[in-house]
Amino acid sequence: MATGSVESLDQLPMALLATIMTKLDISSFCLLAVTCRTSNLCASHILSFLPNFHILDISPSMELIKPLLPPNPYLQSLKLDCGQLNDSSIELLLRPSLQELCLHNCADFSGKLLSEIGSRCKDVRSLYLGSVAEKMGRAIHISELEELLGGCTQLEALNLIFDISLFPGHNFARVWVLASEKLTSLEIGFISSVMVTELLSPNVRPHQCPNQIRPSILPGIQKLSLSVDYITDTMVGTISKGLILLTHLELQDEPLIEPRVTFDLTNSGLQQINQHGRLKHLSLVRSQEFVITYFKRVNDLGILLMADKCANMESICLGGFCHVTDTGFKAILHSCSSLYKLKVSHGSQLTDLVFHVIAAIPFLSLMLACDGVIF
């Protein structure tokens, strides 16, 4: 063996080994930590000042995760699959130093998770919570959401990927007054269209004079992503009018029955999109998970009316517009000079004629999806 070669990690200088280990992802870090005593000691030291801790490819148990999360005042980002964790791990996970918190598969947690984040993680800027309290017997109370919104005053991005449609409508709108003024991005896993409308409508408050209008809630929102029961004209109009800084709008509905006209999107609703002219990215999709249904009250006229206000749009995704033909899609292509991506799913009236228009537009990507297959 050549002079100066290293036969074991034990022979490496501790500083060099520590430098190597800090460059690894957590999974590789843990594998290296068990190879020898030196790497194990080094790992224990590093875990006390590691700024990022991300494990999303497995669901660690409490026994596994506890030694990996020692006291660490420098921990800023925690991303974890919580499929095997519950409320008993809250104290271990939530740190006042966190600025980014991403917890997936929190089905066995109760709403206590929300209130504890509000009291323990006041400086968090980006928060993702998935499937909270979805296990039978777990629940979230509106007061716990209130504590979250009132406590996390630095929030810039909030992703609540669970069903919040069971909250009382009037109380739900009220607690959002406490939301951080810095909040620019909001994603909600499921919410009713009526709740969205009540939340964003500048209604007169009780005991107020008619000329005293409630201030706009969430005035700084630039990106909004919602999964709702029905995409309606009223909801689209309320969003477009109330969120004046909106640049990204993603709406998907999941109807359980064929929508009635008052709970559907029509040409009139499309005309209300992008009232303030800032929208860059738009996605309107009707899911067919529960029932095969489409946006039957939208045709080429609605798309033409929308396209007139979307000259600066960069990406558009349309799903379930069964009465929109090549004429409507070509109107989008001609009107949106900055468009680089157009995705169409379940657009049964789209033919190959539209490709002649696409061929003349450089840098445009077209995606067609049918029954889950993307072409």
Side-chain angles (χ1 to χ4, degrees), residues 166-181:
L166 299 180
F167 287 139
H170 60 286
N171 286 334
F172 178 76
R174 176 182 57 80
V175 301
W176 282 91
V177 175
L178 301 173
S180 167
E181 295 180 356

Side-chain angles (χ1 to χ4, degrees), residues 37-49:
R37 181 174 179 272
T38 300
S39 60
N40 186 268
L41 289 173
C42 188
S44 299
H45 176 63
I46 291 172
L47 287 171
S48 65
F49 65 82

Side-chain angles (χ1 to χ4, degrees), residues 5 19 32 55 117 120 154 163 209 264 280 300 320 359 371:
S5 63
T19 300
L32 183 57
I55 297 183
I117 291 174
R120 296 171 182 261
Q154 305 301 311
D163 186 353
C209 298
D264 204 2
K280 300 290 185 181
D300 289 338
D371 298 326

Side-chain angles (χ1 to χ4, degrees), residues 1-15:
M1 182 172 291
T3 303
S5 63
V6 176
E7 297 182 358
S8 168
L9 290 176
D10 289 321
Q11 296 177 292
L12 285 176
M14 185 70 78

